Amino acid sequence: MNPRLDTIRNKLTAALAPSECIVEDESALHVGHAGAASGGGHYKVRIVCAVFEGQNRLNRHRLVYDCLADMMQTEIHALAITALAPSETKAA
């Protein structure tokens, strides 16, 4: 169990009410990386949310970063985001 993953997922769920929210810890892939030494982790997020309909990729990422602002630079060193609207998952 990774409490940081739960915190990330809970913050995104509370703020954006996604239909899908998958958070993965990729920190082990970055051992030895300068950012890893600070204690901040590397995470990958896939989030599907109605709020993203009609939003461009930059705005979607801003919404995610805003949700996690208090964790950035301390608990999160790097964040890879896949942010989709529900209509984009049905087409895929």
Side-chain angles (χ1 to χ4, degrees):
M1 199 96 191
N2 185 328
R4 211 178 270 175
L5 288 178
D6 293 337
T7 301
I8 293 168
R9 191 177 304 104
N10 291 341
K11 286 178 175 285
L12 293 171
T13 300
L16 301 173
S19 58
E20 178 183 327
C21 184
I22 300 169
V23 184
E24 297 177 46
D25 186 348
E26 296 188 327
S27 300
L29 302 173
H30 301 276
V31 172
H33 178 269
S38 70
H42 289 243
Y43 300 95
K44 180 165 77 172
V45 173
R46 176 184 160 87
I47 184 167
V48 178
C49 182
V51 173
F52 297 150
E53 289 288 354
Q55 299 285 329
N56 65 31
R57 191 168 91 175
L58 179 61
N59 288 339
R60 294 173 185 192
H61 284 217
R62 282 183 180 150
L63 288 168
V64 171
Y65 281 119
D66 287 349
C67 292
L68 304 174
D70 63 327
M71 296 179 76
M72 298 303 299
Q73 306 303 323
T74 55
E75 297 180 75
I76 299 173
H77 172 71
L79 185 65
I81 302 168
T82 301
L84 302 170
S87 63
E88 295 169 319
T89 61
K90 293 173 187 166

